[in-house]
Amino acid sequence: MVSWILSAGVRRVSSVLRRFSSVVSAGSARSGSGCQERLCPPLLSGDVDRFGGVTVRDFPPDISEDEFSELLRVSLSRWRSDGRVAAWLHVPIALSRLSAAAAHLGFSFHHARRDEAVLSLWLGPGEDRLPAFATHQVGVAGAVVDESNGKVLVVQDRNKTTNAWKFPGGLSDLGENIGETAVREVFEETGVRSQFCSLLSVRQQHNHPGAFGMSDMYLICRLSPLSFRIDFCTQECLRCEWLDLTELAKTSETTPITSRVARLLLYGLENGFQNIDLTMEQMPAVYSGRFYQLYHRRLPETP
Amino acid sequence: MVSWILSAGVRRVSSVLRRFSSVVSAGSARSGSGCQERLCPPLLSGDVDRFGGVTVRDFPPDISEDEFSELLRVSLSRWRSDGRVAAWLHVPIALSRLSAAAAHLGFSFHHARRDEAVLSLWLGPGEDRLPAFATHQVGVAGAVVDESNGKVLVVQDRNKTTNAWKFPGGLSDLGENIGETAVREVFEETGVRSQFCSLLSVRQQHNHPGAFGMSDMYLICRLSPLSFRIDFCTQECLRCEWLDLTELAKTSETTPITSRVARLLLYGLENGFQNIDLTMEQMPAVYSGRFYQLYHRRLPETP
């Protein structure tokens, strides 16, 4: 049964692929093995990257699992003999059956987003040296400190069993800077407008609940208020207050990390925030013309 | 043609699902709509989470795309009328054809790893409020400073066009702490053993080349050497040296961030590393019994 399907499948590969001659011929033309093109078996066409991996993005849209399996098997054999170290398949969600076929030949999911899955297979010598996909979600909280009276803006989550005071915050959207997340989340949760001053702390936690088995990087920023009237989000928060930093630093109605950062802020308030801040600077990336944000202790001005 | 396939598909759903009665009956039993079970259409069975989402992990293994499409359509209708706010499908790679069927009903990839894809669909009112998957890869570099002579361990990458001095480093493996990555990468690249002292800087960069469209968090740690003999990895590095910090701080043969951190280290060497360090403390997580790592400026001991 299986062999019949396979055999029928192989035949159909040829006819399907004749219809997708651009897909095939690019692969065949690139192979350069010297065989006459009509005698070469059809191959998937891919782009070779500078690391020696091949990436396939075009697939015949009505190819069956079995047909694709045979096409991929032949292509893998060629890529291996050509010394390719890895194969990447960018499979549109509508063609997901091809991912099942690829899995039979050793591929696994590298990642998937929205309407595309990316599968990979290491073909080189030794162990898999492919770079992994993103491993961390990034959460940011904002400690808005009113220097005029030593108060800080805190909330209690609606969804938690223990109602502990904490700084408003939440997950960064893709592409959002740390400080942007802090300012946005503070406004969404409390109605208070603020601006970014510095980074105060970094927490790393693995296997984080709610991170789908991945890790969490949680950053707390110091913000300064631009408005003071609280209009908090009742969906997310049970309470929201401007609380004395001295009180937050000693209350047991808070989380260990909030308590720690409250003490840090209190020290900064009394001795200067330069003692606790990591300042941010925007710098140009070498290769791309884009910018990145660098945070570290402020250096004294060079003379 | 489509209607025939669908109609044949629906019939087969019933027979397939009779064979997977546990899958179906759990869903039907949970529905509590008061209809007699034999009259209810078959439903996918899922677990309801505390946010009101339903997660399906069990699928009939030989169901077709069309059969699954009908089963999912009926299940979605029930979930919507039951007030579920989201649906999650954990689809094994071998059943990837089901992802294509789900996409036709509005699902998209939330994420995928190894042999499983997770698809999601927001069913609640208003805009999608599902938490996103991990957005950042984490890279860590280690600046190994020999305090006895003011030298720091630097490398030049083999694969870069400009041969600039930089600190050895690389991507964190999933579940690896920041300091562990620094120590491991330094050893793999240079052969030098070291121990973690502190975190010095954090860089965030979006749409990072090599991060598959995601963001990059790059952290530089200060390490102290436990051995000094260099035995560098010729696959990764072109050169590896113990270089004077003063020279690294002023050379143009380096990257802007390395230069900046060299100046920071020089300041620390001359005025005390407590001026530049973020110290690490391991703390217990409130809810899980696990531990996390917290980094911030050291607080003076409380009296």
Side-chain angles (χ1 to χ4, degrees):
Chain A
M1 180 67 176
V2 170
S3 65
W4 180 86
I5 291 174
L6 261 177
S7 135
V10 174
R11 278 199 304 272
R12 209 183 143 209
V13 166
S14 314
S15 84
V16 165
L17 289 173
R18 267 193 290 275
R19 279 184 285 141
F20 294 88
S21 56
S22 69
V23 174
V24 186
S25 61
S28 303
R30 195 170 290 139
S31 68
S33 67
C35 68
Q36 291 183 330
E37 196 167 324
R38 67 178 178 281
L39 296 180
C40 292
L43 292 176
L44 284 164
S45 167
D47 297 317
V48 177
D49 60 43
R50 67 189 180 99
F51 304 104
V54 58
T55 300
V56 179
R57 295 171 187 272
D58 292 309
F59 304 94
D62 53 4
I63 194 169
S64 75
E65 270 190 52
D66 289 328
E67 289 162 354
F68 180 69
S69 186
E70 180 58 19
L71 178 61
L72 182 57
R73 193 189 58 74
V74 174
S75 302
L76 278 172
S77 170
R78 166 60 64 87
W79 295 334
R80 282 198 170 95
S81 69
D82 285 350
R84 304 291 171 235
V85 299
W88 301 86
L89 309 176
H90 289 239
V91 181
I93 196 167
L95 297 181
S96 286
R97 62 184 183 280
L98 308 189
S99 298
H104 282 114
L105 293 168
F107 281 83
S108 58
F109 286 122
H110 183 272
H111 66 277
R113 282 185 68 211
R114 298 182 183 147
D115 58 358
E116 184 183 83
V118 177
L119 288 79
S120 63
L121 177 63
W122 177 249
L123 304 175
E127 63 181 13
D128 178 350
R129 287 193 282 114
L130 295 178
F133 190 64
T135 52
H136 285 65
Q137 67 179 21
V138 169
V140 188
V144 189
V145 179
D146 184 348
E147 291 183 57
S148 72
N149 58 14
K151 286 179 187 285
V152 65
L153 187 64
V154 286
V155 295
Q156 289 187 0
D157 275 354
R158 174 164 289 284
N159 291 319
K160 293 288 162 66
T161 41
T162 59
N163 290 319
W165 290 116
K166 56 186 275 293
F167 304 118
L171 290 182
S172 281
D173 295 330
L174 181 62
E176 190 177 48
N177 294 340
I178 292 166
E180 290 171 349
T181 307
V183 166
R184 174 180 58 76
E185 285 284 345
V186 163
F187 179 71
E188 287 176 6
E189 289 190 25
T190 71
V192 170
R193 296 201 178 271
S194 62
Q195 66 187 8
F196 175 82
C197 298
S198 69
L199 179 62
L200 295 173
S201 70
V202 176
R203 184 197 69 181
Q204 187 183 38
Q205 192 172 7
H206 302 300
N207 214 336
H208 188 264
F212 305 95
M214 308 304 276
S215 300
D216 177 87
M217 193 82 84
Y218 175 67
L219 305 114
I220 301 182
C221 300
R222 184 171 70 81
L223 309 178
S224 68
L226 296 174
S227 72
F228 298 88
R229 201 176 66 81
I230 289 172
D231 176 18
F232 71 92
C233 170
T234 52
Q235 270 194 319
E236 288 191 73
C237 306
L238 198 65
R239 300 165 72 188
C240 177
E241 286 183 18
W242 288 100
L243 197 69
D244 271 329
L245 260 177
T246 47
E247 195 178 325
L248 185 62
K250 65 185 181 202
T251 182
S252 60
E253 286 193 322
T254 188
T255 65
I257 189 171
T258 307
S259 183
R260 175 69 59 93
V261 172
R263 285 194 283 139
L264 200 63
L265 283 166
L266 202 55
Y267 182 80
L269 193 66
E270 288 164 358
N271 301 279
F273 286 126
Q274 75 276 11
N275 289 292
I276 62 167
D277 285 346
L278 296 196
T279 54
M280 188 273 277
E281 189 176 343
Q282 190 136 295
M283 294 171 77
V286 180
Y287 39 78
S288 64
R290 294 201 187 89
F291 287 83
Y292 58 77
Q293 285 74 40
L294 181 66
Y295 304 82
H296 59 71
R297 289 278 296 148
R298 186 188 295 278
L299 273 170
E301 293 304 320
T302 37
Chain B
M1 180 67 174
V2 169
S3 67
W4 179 87
I5 291 175
L6 261 178
S7 133
V10 174
R11 280 200 303 274
R12 205 180 146 210
V13 167
S14 313
S15 83
V16 166
L17 288 173
R18 268 194 289 276
R19 280 183 284 140
F20 294 89
S21 55
S22 69
V23 173
V24 186
S25 61
S28 304
R30 195 171 290 139
S31 68
S33 68
C35 68
Q36 291 183 327
E37 197 168 323
R38 67 180 178 280
L39 297 180
C40 292
L43 293 176
L44 284 164
S45 168
D47 297 317
V48 178
D49 61 42
R50 67 191 180 96
F51 304 104
V54 58
T55 300
V56 179
R57 295 171 188 271
D58 293 308
F59 304 94
D62 53 4
I63 195 169
S64 75
E65 272 190 50
D66 288 329
E67 290 162 354
F68 180 70
S69 186
E70 180 58 19
L71 177 59
L72 182 58
R73 194 189 58 74
V74 174
S75 303
L76 278 171
S77 170
R78 169 59 63 85
W79 295 333
R80 282 198 169 93
S81 69
D82 285 351
R84 304 290 172 235
V85 297
W88 301 85
L89 309 177
H90 289 240
V91 181
I93 196 167
L95 297 181
S96 285
R97 62 184 183 278
L98 308 189
S99 299
H104 281 115
L105 293 168
F107 281 82
S108 59
F109 286 122
H110 183 272
H111 66 277
R113 282 187 68 211
R114 297 183 183 148
D115 58 359
E116 184 182 83
V118 177
L119 288 80
S120 63
L121 178 63
W122 177 249
L123 305 175
E127 64 180 13
D128 179 348
R129 287 193 282 114
L130 295 179
F133 190 64
T135 51
H136 284 65
Q137 66 179 22
V138 169
V140 188
V144 189
V145 179
D146 184 348
E147 292 183 56
S148 72
N149 58 13
K151 286 180 188 285
V152 64
L153 187 64
V154 285
V155 296
Q156 288 187 1
D157 275 353
R158 174 165 288 283
N159 292 320
K160 294 287 161 67
T161 40
T162 58
N163 290 319
W165 290 116
K166 55 187 276 290
F167 304 118
L171 290 180
S172 282
D173 295 330
L174 182 61
E176 190 176 47
N177 293 339
I178 292 166
E180 289 171 350
T181 306
V183 167
R184 174 180 59 75
E185 286 284 346
V186 165
F187 180 71
E188 287 176 5
E189 288 190 26
T190 70
V192 170
R193 296 201 177 271
S194 62
Q195 66 187 7
F196 174 82
C197 298
S198 70
L199 179 63
L200 294 174
S201 71
V202 176
R203 184 197 68 182
Q204 186 183 39
Q205 192 172 8
H206 302 299
N207 215 336
H208 187 264
F212 307 95
M214 309 304 277
S215 301
D216 177 88
M217 193 82 85
Y218 175 67
L219 306 114
I220 301 183
C221 301
R222 184 171 69 81
L223 309 178
S224 67
L226 297 174
S227 72
F228 298 87
R229 199 175 69 81
I230 289 172
D231 176 17
F232 71 93
C233 171
T234 52
Q235 271 195 317
E236 288 191 73
C237 306
L238 198 65
R239 299 165 73 187
C240 177
E241 285 182 21
W242 288 101
L243 197 70
D244 271 330
L245 261 176
T246 46
E247 197 178 325
L248 185 63
K250 67 184 180 204
T251 182
S252 61
E253 286 194 320
T254 188
T255 66
I257 189 170
T258 307
S259 182
R260 175 68 60 94
V261 171
R263 286 193 282 138
L264 199 64
L265 282 166
L266 202 56
Y267 183 79
L269 193 67
E270 288 164 357
N271 301 279
F273 287 125
Q274 75 277 9
N275 289 293
I276 62 167
D277 285 345
L278 296 195
T279 55
M280 188 274 278
E281 189 176 343
Q282 188 135 295
M283 293 172 77
V286 180
Y287 38 77
S288 65
R290 294 200 187 90
F291 287 83
Y292 58 78
Q293 286 74 42
L294 181 66
Y295 304 81
H296 59 71
R297 289 277 296 149
R298 187 189 295 278
L299 273 169
E301 294 304 319
T302 38

